Amino acid sequence: MKLMDPSATVDHFSAIGSSRAHMSLFVKTLATYDYIFTHDFVAGHIRGGDSKDLCAQLSKTFVYPAIGFAAYHPDMILIHDLSLTHGFLFGPIGPYHSAIGLFAYRKGLSLEECNGLFNENVFDALGYFNVWNDAASELINSIKVGCDIDLSTDLLNWSRKGVFMFSTVHPKSFVLYDLARRLWEKVGLTPREVDFSFYGVDDLSRSEVFPVYPPIAKMFGVKGSYLFKQQNHNFAHTVGDFLTLPQYLSSCYKTYAATESAKLYNARVEAWLTNEDLCNSLLKMAKENLRAGLTHSL
């Protein structure tokens, strides 16, 4: 937003996790701003209230949904401890987990058999090649319903630039810039015309990055990999670390082994586990792919 008016004061206040700030202090601070843009947040992130309380006390607050898009990363899931407000199970790349990896662990597959599941025949059986339309509709509809902004043209433009998400929940910076322009216009402001690519910084690239698996990437005409990036917010000191698929799965298995089984719940994986035909099919493909040497070392 700073690019749209260099004279404006634009500040960021995080409501991720649990803040020490109280809603009364939050409101007092934000009252000094002309415009407030926020995602919905539930009680517990800010002591003393949630986003509805913020809106009730500051009418200039504009709530908009987060960008979410699963077509590039259909295997990515979050494992949520429902007893905690922000209680996501963290593994080797933060809260990002593989549905296939969790399924394999829950079914008692070896790491090698689990590795064998990361192939085109398995992705096809799980519907991973048919996610785009639903993901696009969900994104467009959520933003339209949530804040009456139509992103259909923007989505088309983003897709023409290649993969525009680092994960299902972290978009690249040019996506956020276009959304910011839409928000700016929505409150009656006129954004400055500027080439964002000349100034853009992808802060979210410092966080965890979930790969676009090669068979899925091939369908979209882009380069894919099984290389998982760990978060690194200290670029001045190190360049960060990456995990190959075997390294990632091994670390996930260790995380799951150290976690109470009741806290390894994910609705999608649970549905797979209760589908006997699907389970048998996946187990068969795991063994067949392993025998055929269809495992990945990189």
Side-chain angles (χ1 to χ4, degrees):
M1 287 187 172
K2 185 74 171 179
L3 275 178
M4 299 175 202
D5 183 355
S7 68
T9 298
V10 180
D11 293 320
H12 168 251
F13 295 88
S14 177
I16 297 177
S18 182
S19 171
R20 294 182 179 180
H22 192 277
M23 180 60 73
S24 59
L25 177 60
F26 203 47
V27 168
K28 183 178 180 180
T29 302
L30 294 179
T32 63
Y33 292 82
D34 296 315
Y35 302 95
I36 303 164
F37 301 95
T38 182
H39 293 320
D40 273 319
F41 58 89
V42 299
H45 292 290
I46 302 294
R47 292 186 298 125
D50 56 19
S51 55
K52 291 184 175 62
D53 295 308
L54 178 62
C55 291
Q57 297 183 61
L58 292 173
S59 59
K60 56 187 173 182
T61 302
F62 190 92
V63 179
Y64 65 98
I67 296 290
F69 191 78
Y72 296 119
H73 309 97
D75 187 48
M76 197 197 103
I77 59 171
L78 304 177
I79 302 175
H80 193 185
D81 180 354
L82 298 178
S83 67
L84 301 173
T85 300
H86 206 69
F88 295 110
L89 176 66
F90 274 56
I93 56 167
Y96 300 164
H97 297 268
S98 158
I100 291 174
L102 179 59
F103 167 83
Y105 177 83
R106 294 277 304 274
K107 288 299 293 183
L109 271 64
S110 68
L111 280 170
E112 292 75 16
E113 290 170 329
C114 178
N115 190 315
L117 286 172
F118 287 78
N119 279 287
E120 185 171 347
N121 57 348
V122 174
F123 300 159
D124 186 43
L126 294 174
Y128 282 5
F129 297 113
N130 303 311
V131 178
W132 183 277
N133 288 343
D134 287 343
S137 295
E138 183 177 351
L139 170 59
I140 292 170
N141 292 337
S142 68
I143 301 295
K144 182 66 176 177
V145 172
C147 58
D148 194 28
I149 292 176
D150 184 2
L151 290 182
S152 53
T153 300
D154 298 276
L155 176 58
L156 180 61
N157 291 333
W158 300 337
S159 65
R160 288 171 174 168
K161 296 179 181 180
V163 178
F164 57 85
M165 301 290 290
F166 291 119
S167 68
T168 61
V169 294
H170 277 180
K172 292 187 176 180
S173 60
F174 62 82
V175 173
L176 295 176
Y177 176 72
D178 287 342
L179 176 60
R181 283 180 57 86
R182 296 293 188 181
L183 293 172
W184 198 270
E185 293 166 346
K186 193 66 181 176
V187 297
L189 299 174
T190 302
R192 171 190 294 259
E193 291 297 329
V194 64
D195 182 358
F196 176 74
S197 65
F198 194 72
Y199 300 97
V201 175
D202 257 319
D203 275 341
L204 290 178
S205 69
R206 303 185 185 193
S207 188
E208 298 85 358
V209 175
F210 204 89
V212 181
Y213 299 161
I216 295 169
K218 181 180 178 180
M219 179 179 66
F220 293 123
V222 298
K223 186 73 173 179
S225 77
Y226 290 113
L227 198 61
F228 298 78
K229 177 189 172 295
Q230 296 181 312
Q231 68 86 18
N232 175 43
H233 296 282
N234 300 300
F235 280 177
H237 304 291
T238 64
V239 297
D241 293 313
F242 297 82
L243 299 175
T244 64
L245 181 61
Q247 290 171 329
Y248 171 72
L249 294 176
S250 176
S251 186
C252 283
Y253 266 44
K254 291 177 182 177
T255 297
Y256 302 154
T259 304
E260 296 177 32
S261 58
K263 295 183 178 181
L264 292 178
Y265 179 86
N266 173 270
R268 188 204 310 179
V269 174
E270 200 66 29
W272 293 354
L273 292 168
T274 57
N275 185 329
E276 185 176 353
D277 290 339
L278 179 61
C279 279
N280 291 337
S281 178
L282 292 177
L283 295 179
K284 180 181 179 182
M285 283 187 280
K287 297 181 185 301
E288 289 177 347
N289 289 346
L290 181 58
R291 285 197 297 269
L294 298 177
T295 56
H296 313 278
S297 58
L298 297 176

